[in-house]
Amino acid sequence: MRDCSMRGDASIAQPTGSVAGSSSSVRPPKQSPQAPMSRGRGRGRASSSSSPQNCSYALAGRQDQESSPDVVTVLRVLQERKLYAKFSKYEFRLNSVTSLGHIISGEGILVDTQKIEAVKTWPKPTTPTKVRSFLGLAGYYRRFVEGFPSLSAPLTKLTQKGAKFQWIDAFERSFHALKDMLTSAPVLTLPEGTDGYVIYCDASGVGLGCVLMQYGKVVAYASR
């Protein structure tokens, strides 16, 4: 987990198995009690009495475990950094949690269903600015799309300086290919441990693509 008292940004600890947690409000206590060392898995927000910035964190673990050592570790870090969380706003042992446009569950990581719906209903871009907006959303989920640069290349040309905006069949095919890939994106597995990783690569004179897998399951796609 990142040092929230220093950076104040969001981080997600993702071991493997079912996810527990939901967002919660936070406030530093008036006094300085120690962070409670409770059992379970959860996600919440914590703030430091010396900083107004908040951060959030999530833990994933197996539901068949009575307690997770990861939770104890995180709570110990909160205590050491003098970060305080309002545990009455926590939720534990959830089957899935939505975070940063993703749904994290025991099956793995997938695209948020609300984002999938937004892609399905996205109208055909009529200006370079609207093309950039669509590519921005699609690019955020490029780890789910095999061969993303090749699929997006025609639309990317429309955003280049001095390019004449004229919607042709190549752009239409690129637009719908990206929509189809995003709305049928696979569930990516959560990495577990340090064993069983394999990287498959394919290169040509115009591009490079690779797939990171663990025990036969896709962790992420990458290409350029």
Side-chain angles (χ1 to χ4, degrees), residues 4-102:
C4 300
S5 64
M6 297 296 292
R7 296 189 178 97
D9 56 354
S11 60
I12 302 177
Q14 298 172 349
T16 185
S18 301
V19 170
S22 68
S23 60
S24 66
S25 61
V26 297
R27 65 168 181 253
K30 295 180 180 180
Q31 298 178 353
S32 300
Q34 295 182 343
M37 304 297 288
S38 61
R39 291 186 176 184
R41 291 165 294 280
R43 171 173 174 255
R45 302 179 185 274
S47 64
S48 169
S49 58
S50 61
S51 172
Q53 293 179 315
N54 294 336
C55 68
S56 62
Y57 60 89
L59 293 177
R62 301 184 185 278
Q63 285 189 331
D64 56 1
Q65 294 175 336
E66 281 297 321
S67 63
S68 170
D70 295 320
V71 173
V72 176
T73 300
V74 168
L75 292 175
R76 184 175 293 115
V77 172
L78 292 176
Q79 180 182 9
E80 292 173 352
R81 301 296 181 179
K82 292 183 171 57
L83 296 167
Y84 306 102
K86 188 172 183 179
F87 276 75
S88 62
K89 296 295 183 69
Y90 274 53
E91 293 184 49
F92 293 87
R93 295 187 180 276
L94 298 181
N95 293 322
S96 65
V97 63
T98 301
S99 177
L100 302 176
H102 299 82

Side-chain angles (χ1 to χ4, degrees), residues 91-194:
E91 293 184 49
F92 293 87
R93 295 187 180 276
L94 298 181
N95 293 322
S96 65
V97 63
T98 301
S99 177
L100 302 176
H102 299 82
I103 296 177
I104 309 165
S105 70
E107 298 179 356
I109 306 175
L110 63 155
V111 179
D112 188 345
T113 51
Q114 292 184 352
K115 298 299 182 182
I116 292 178
E117 189 62 30
V119 172
K120 285 182 178 179
T121 58
W122 198 288
K124 181 177 71 176
T126 55
T127 65
T129 300
K130 293 181 179 180
V131 172
R132 291 190 188 94
S133 296
F134 175 74
L135 289 177
L137 174 62
Y140 183 71
Y141 295 105
R142 64 186 299 154
R143 64 183 292 194
F144 291 86
V145 180
E146 185 176 7
F148 178 85
S150 299
L151 293 174
S152 62
L155 290 179
T156 302
K157 292 180 180 179
L158 279 178
T159 64
Q160 295 175 352
K161 185 177 181 180
K164 182 179 179 180
F165 190 91
Q166 185 176 359
W167 194 262
I168 59 177
D169 290 343
F171 302 146
E172 185 76 12
R173 289 193 297 269
S174 175
F175 178 62
H176 285 287
L178 283 174
K179 290 182 70 172
D180 291 342
M181 293 294 287
L182 289 171
T183 54
S184 59
V187 178
L188 302 180
T189 188
L190 289 166
E192 180 178 7
T194 58

